[in-house]
Amino acid sequence: MTVELHRMANGVRVVTERMPGLQSASLGVWVAAGGRHERVDQNGVAHFLEHMAFKGTTKRSALQIAEAIENVGGYINAYTSREMTAYYARVLADDVPLALDVISDIVLNPIFDSREIDVERHVILQEIGQSFDTPDDVIFDWLQETAFPDQPIGRTILGPAERVQGFHAADLKGFVHERYAPGNIILSAAGAVDHDAIVRAAEIAFGGLTERDGGVADPAQFRGGERRVEKDLEQAHFALAFETPGYRDDAVYTAQLFSTAFGGGMSSRLFQEAREKRGLCYSIFAQTGAYADSGLMTVYAGTGAEDVGELVHLIIDELKRAANEMSPAELARSRAQLKAGLLMGLESPASRAERLARLLSIWDMVPPIEDTVEKIDAVTTGDAREFAAGLVDRAQAALALYGPVSAAPDHAQLTGRLAA
C-alpha cells in the first residue's frame, strides 16, 4: 500500500492510498473549517453549512444528491468537528468518479435556498434540543466550554439556539468565503482507487478555485473552572478534564497511553476500582483527545446522587496513586490496546482516508505508520508516571456536573485534594 500526494497549483491537496484486494473505496473532502474557526457571531455556522451541503446544488436537488450515491449502493455523509468539516462517501470501485463528482458538487456549488435553510434550521434546533435530553452528551460541551472559556475552541459545535435562529444564506456564504480556501481543502481517498485518475478529476473539480488566505484559528488557552447544573435526573453525571499536549507534540502518545491505562477499558484502574470493586457506578472511562495546540484528558462517570462524592474522591485519589504506582504491565496492556486500535483501523478504507486527511492537515505530509508505532513503543513507565505527576502538581482542572450533584465536591475542593 502506497500513499501518494499531489499538490494543486492553488493549494488544494490530493492524497490517496490504494489497498489491493478491495472492491470499494472511501473518499471525501476535509476542510480546515470547524468550530474553532468561527467568530462568536458565527458560532454554529460550520455545522449549519455541513447540513446545507445536502440540500441542493446548482446541478442537483437534495433528492438527486441522495439518489446519485444510493442508486449505486453507496453511502454518503458528513460531520463537523472543532477543527475540520468532512464530506465523504463510500462506493464500489467503478463508482469512484461519480462519488468524487457528487462530493465536489456539494462542497463547491451549494445554492442555500431560503426555504431549505428554514427547514434545516428546524432540524438543527431539534438536534440542539435533543442534546439537552442526553446528559452524557451535553456535559462534554459544558466541559469543553469550562476548559476553554470565551474561546472559539470552547464553544459548542451546534451553536446556541438563538444564534442558529438568525442564520441566513449570507452567513453561510460568508463563512465559505472566509474558510473554504484551496489551502484549507484536502481530497483524500483510500481503497480501490487510482491516484492519477483522482488527481485528474480533482484538477477539473477544484482547479478553478483561486488561491487565497483561509485564515488561522485563535490559539487555545486552557483555564479550567466549574459548571454545575442541578436537575432531577436518575443519575449524577460528572466530567473532569486536564490539559494535555497537542497532536504536534510527541508527548501526546504518553497522554494517550496513560489515559488508556487509567480508564480506557475494563481492565483499567478506574473501571476495576470504581465499578468492579466498589460498585459505585455503571459507566466510567478516561480518554485523551488532541488539537493542534492543546488537548484534554477527560474522565467521565455516571452514578447515583448518594455516591457522587465518594466517586469523585476516588478518581482523584487513583490519579495520584497512578503517578507513583503505574506498573510496566499496565503500560504494556495500554500499549497493546493503542497499537491494536491503530492497526485494526487501517483495515477500513474509511479509516484510512480519514487518517490520511488528518495527518496531512497536521504535518503537511503523511508519516509512515511505522513512525507512529515507534513513538508509541518509546513511551516508558517513567514517562507515564511523570505525566500523571504533572497533572497532579499543576492541580488545574475543568469540571462539569449535571443532575442530582449537590453532594459532589466543588472545583476548589477537587483541586485542593489534588494538591494535598
Side-chain angles (χ1 to χ4, degrees):
M1 288 174 276
T2 303
V3 174
E4 296 186 80
L5 174 62
H6 173 76
R7 301 176 190 274
M8 294 172 55
N10 60 8
V12 173
R13 289 164 287 178
V14 182
V15 61
T16 69
E17 185 171 13
R18 182 165 181 81
M19 302 170 67
L22 292 190
Q23 301 299 314
S24 67
S26 288
L27 70 157
V29 169
W30 278 258
V31 189
R36 74 173 303 181
H37 301 102
E38 300 168 339
R39 299 187 306 270
V40 64
D41 61 297
Q42 295 174 318
N43 187 204
V45 75
H47 176 255
F48 205 129
L49 181 63
E50 172 225 312
H51 275 240
M52 288 304 302
F54 297 96
K55 303 302 287 186
T57 73
T58 55
K59 293 170 56 177
R60 296 177 173 92
S61 68
L63 179 59
Q64 287 171 331
I65 291 170
E67 286 180 340
I69 298 298
E70 293 181 358
N71 282 351
V72 297
Y75 170 80
I76 188 169
N77 209 337
Y79 68 82
T80 306
S81 71
R82 287 189 163 82
E83 296 193 305
M84 303 287 282
T85 301
Y87 308 86
Y88 58 94
R90 184 167 186 186
V91 293
L92 295 177
D94 290 344
D95 300 311
V96 166
L98 169 66
L100 197 154
D101 183 62
V102 172
I103 292 291
S104 62
D105 187 28
I106 67 175
V107 171
L108 298 176
N109 306 310
I111 56 175
F112 301 136
D113 179 80
S114 60
R115 291 168 299 180
E116 294 291 356
I117 287 175
D118 287 338
V119 169
E120 210 57 30
R121 185 195 323 280
H122 186 69
V123 171
I124 294 171
L125 291 172
Q126 295 295 321
E127 187 177 358
I128 292 171
Q130 181 176 304
S131 73
F132 285 100
D133 289 336
T134 313
D136 51 355
D137 280 349
V138 73
I139 196 169
F140 289 106
D141 278 342
W142 294 345
L143 185 68
Q144 186 83 13
E145 185 178 9
T146 304
F148 302 106
D150 303 316
Q151 301 168 61
I153 198 170
R155 298 184 193 121
T156 169
I157 291 170
L158 298 181
E162 59 272 18
R163 187 76 64 194
V164 172
Q165 289 276 18
F167 286 145
H168 298 288
D171 302 293
L172 303 176
K173 292 175 182 177
F175 189 74
V176 169
H177 178 73
E178 291 175 24
R179 297 296 179 176
Y180 278 55
N184 286 342
I185 294 174
I186 295 171
L187 171 60
S188 179
V193 296
D194 181 310
H195 178 76
D196 292 337
I198 287 180
V199 167
R200 288 193 297 270
E203 290 282 1
I204 293 171
F206 296 96
L209 296 178
T210 302
E211 183 179 3
R212 66 181 192 274
D213 179 27
V216 295
D218 291 345
Q221 296 181 337
F222 181 92
R223 293 177 188 157
E226 176 182 332
R227 179 163 182 178
R228 181 185 299 247
V229 178
E230 289 273 353
K231 189 172 182 180
D232 184 18
L233 300 174
E234 286 296 319
Q235 282 213 312
H237 298 268
F238 165 85
L240 175 68
F242 301 91
E243 186 178 25
T244 54
Y247 49 55
R248 291 192 177 101
D249 187 335
D250 284 352
V252 70
Y253 299 106
T254 302
Q256 290 174 338
L257 286 166
F258 175 81
S259 65
T260 300
F262 185 57
M266 294 174 63
S267 60
S268 68
R269 282 176 170 251
L270 285 184
F271 192 93
Q272 284 296 310
E273 190 66 29
R275 175 171 163 162
E276 296 298 280
K277 294 182 181 178
R278 304 198 194 184
L280 290 176
C281 59
Y282 173 75
S283 177
I284 187 167
F285 62 83
Q287 61 186 12
T288 294
Y291 306 107
D293 50 355
S294 185
L296 292 177
M297 188 185 87
T298 302
V299 180
Y300 165 82
T303 189
E306 67 281 2
D307 291 324
V308 64
E310 182 181 355
L311 181 60
V312 173
H313 289 152
L314 180 149
I315 290 169
I316 298 303
D317 292 346
E318 283 301 312
L319 178 61
K320 294 172 72 173
R321 273 195 284 270
N324 297 309
E325 300 174 4
M326 181 157 283
S327 68
E330 288 178 282
L331 190 68
R333 183 165 56 243
S334 176
R335 194 190 323 275
Q337 289 177 275
L338 195 60
K339 287 164 61 175
L342 173 66
L343 297 173
M344 288 178 184
L346 296 180
E347 297 176 1
S348 159
S351 295
R352 281 201 180 241
E354 182 166 13
R355 176 178 177 272
L356 293 175
R358 180 171 53 83
L359 292 176
L360 191 56
S361 71
I362 297 169
W363 301 109
D364 198 30
M365 59 172 288
V366 180
I369 188 66
E370 293 80 10
D371 288 2
T372 303
V373 172
E374 183 178 329
K375 289 175 180 178
I376 293 172
D377 285 338
V379 178
T380 67
T381 306
D383 294 332
R385 290 181 179 179
E386 185 177 348
F387 169 79
L391 300 182
V392 173
D393 291 343
R394 288 199 304 273
Q396 292 179 305
L399 175 64
L401 303 112
Y402 189 29
V405 292
S406 60
D410 62 22
H411 184 263
Q413 292 170 322
L414 186 147
T415 53
R417 193 175 184 97
L418 268 175

